[in-house]
């Protein structure tokens, strides 16, 4: 066998590698991994077995994937840090009220994190790199909430009254939900996408609109308004549809839009009802809204 023919055989073997099985969940499916290894030039190596050659060339691809995901993690972490610092600066200069700044961070943090998932590779381990981003923020919240560190910018940006202990409630639950969705659902399931869209976009906008235009209160909860609940229903629905369309265009999920739209509308309605209930003192909205959304989405998208 000539050197040229052995190289062709090697490339053929690599390209015929069977990709990992496509995990199908109801009406959506995870995109197939290409499994193709590209070489800058043909390597010159002594005559060894074909299996040994393939394993030798796969190792650098794994290392490259590791470096790529590590770089993506650093980039997303940097973006998250810059986002909080930007709103801290706007609050410090009295350009934004602290309450509005906190809610804008609430909205943008979750949506930008969800929007960043396609930056990571198609490796099964990519979700762990993505989940590392909210995990780092979780550690920051714990350190500042327990007074092990003092980050005034963080406290002003994500708390209502500047109390560090508040970091251990709503903000901490928020980043834990981000971590959970990244690890459990990732890019191949609409459940995590809709849950984060409702928690970040729907619930966040409801608070902003409700405080500004919420003169008409809901009869069973005087702390909630019709304007806030309606805005959560509308914005939660459209943000969810927008994010699902984003992942559909990229090929991560495949949906029948004729049935998806009414299902998302139902999910948004139930999440809005839960957010309007007078249970905030018992269960934080950052727990009740996404968990109920996950449950309803799971049973809704099963059929």
């Amino acid at each position: 066998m000539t050197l040229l023919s052995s190289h062709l055989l090697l490339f053929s073997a690599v390209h015929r590698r069977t990709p990992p099985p496509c995990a199908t969940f109801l009406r959506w499916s995870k995109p197939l991994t290409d499994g193709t290894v590209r070489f800058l030039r043909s390597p010159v190596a002594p005559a060894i077995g074909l299996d040994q050659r393939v394993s030798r060339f796969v190792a650098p691809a794994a290392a490259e994937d590791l470096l790529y995901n590590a770089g993506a993690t650093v980039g997303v972490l940097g973006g998250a840090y810059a986002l909080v610092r930007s709103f801290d600066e706007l609050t410090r200069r009295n350009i934004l009220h602290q309450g509005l700044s906190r809610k804008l961070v609430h909205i943008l943090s979750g949506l930008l994190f969800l929007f960043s998932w396609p930056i990571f590779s198609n490796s099964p381990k990519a979700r762990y790199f993505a989940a590392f981003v909210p995990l780092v923020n979780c550690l920051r919240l714990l350190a500042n909430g327990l007074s092990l560190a003092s980050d005034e910018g963080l406290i002003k940006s994500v708390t209502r009254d500047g109390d560090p202990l508040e970091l251990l409630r709503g903000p901490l639950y928020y980043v834990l939900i981000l971590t959970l969705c990244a690890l459990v659902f990732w890019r191949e399931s609409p459940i995590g996408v809709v849950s984060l869209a409702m928690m970040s976009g729907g619930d966040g906008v409801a608070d902003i609109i409700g405080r500004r235009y919420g003169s008409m209160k809901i009869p069973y909860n005087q702390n909630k308004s019709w304007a806030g609940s309606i805005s959560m229903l509308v914005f939660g629905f459209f943000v969810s549809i927008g994010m699902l369309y984003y992942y559909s265009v990229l090929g991560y999920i495949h949906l029948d839009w004729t049935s998806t739209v009414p299902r998302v509308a139902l999910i948004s309605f139930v999440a809005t009802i839960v957010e309007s209930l007078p249970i905030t003192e018992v269960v934080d909205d950052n727990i009740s809204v996404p968990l109920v959304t996950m449950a309803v989405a799971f049973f809704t998208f099963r059929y």
Side-chain angles (χ1 to χ4, degrees), residues 47-234:
I48 57 176
L50 180 59
D51 293 339
Q52 293 177 335
R53 289 189 185 183
V54 172
S55 62
R56 175 178 296 183
F57 296 135
V58 170
E64 183 180 353
D65 184 77
L66 176 64
L67 291 175
Y68 176 84
N69 283 316
T73 303
V74 172
V76 176
L77 268 174
Y81 182 81
L83 176 70
V84 174
R85 284 302 180 189
S86 298
F87 281 98
D88 171 43
E89 186 66 18
L90 293 174
T91 303
R92 188 182 66 81
R93 295 186 180 186
N94 295 321
I95 298 176
L96 285 179
H97 186 269
Q98 182 173 344
L100 179 59
S101 173
R102 179 180 65 86
K103 273 304 170 182
L104 290 176
V105 170
H106 174 100
I107 295 170
L108 294 176
S109 294
L111 294 184
L112 291 177
F113 178 61
L114 183 60
F115 195 82
S116 73
W117 286 357
I119 295 176
F120 296 86
S121 75
N122 288 331
S123 167
K125 298 180 181 178
R127 69 179 67 202
Y128 301 108
F129 286 89
F132 184 74
V133 176
L135 179 60
V136 169
N137 290 321
C138 177
L139 296 177
R140 288 181 63 203
L141 293 173
L142 288 172
N144 285 273
L146 297 173
S147 298
L148 301 177
S150 181
D151 188 338
E152 293 298 327
L154 176 66
I155 295 173
K156 290 180 180 179
S157 298
V158 300
T159 63
R160 289 183 174 89
D161 305 315
D163 182 6
L165 289 177
E166 189 180 337
L167 298 174
L168 303 179
R169 296 189 288 272
L172 181 61
Y173 304 148
Y174 184 88
V175 296
L176 289 176
I177 292 296
L178 295 181
T179 306
L180 175 67
C181 287
L183 290 176
V184 176
F185 301 109
W186 195 220
R187 297 177 298 210
E188 62 266 21
S189 168
I191 298 177
V193 174
V194 174
S195 298
L196 293 188
M198 290 302 303
M199 181 184 72
S200 302
D203 186 32
V205 172
D207 188 79
I208 294 176
I209 300 298
R211 290 180 184 274
R212 189 173 182 87
Y213 305 104
S215 57
M216 296 180 60
K217 302 298 181 180
I218 297 177
Y220 55 84
N221 187 358
Q222 292 300 303
N223 293 323
K224 303 289 183 178
S225 66
W226 285 108
S229 292
I230 292 173
S231 63
M232 176 172 178
L233 176 64
V234 174

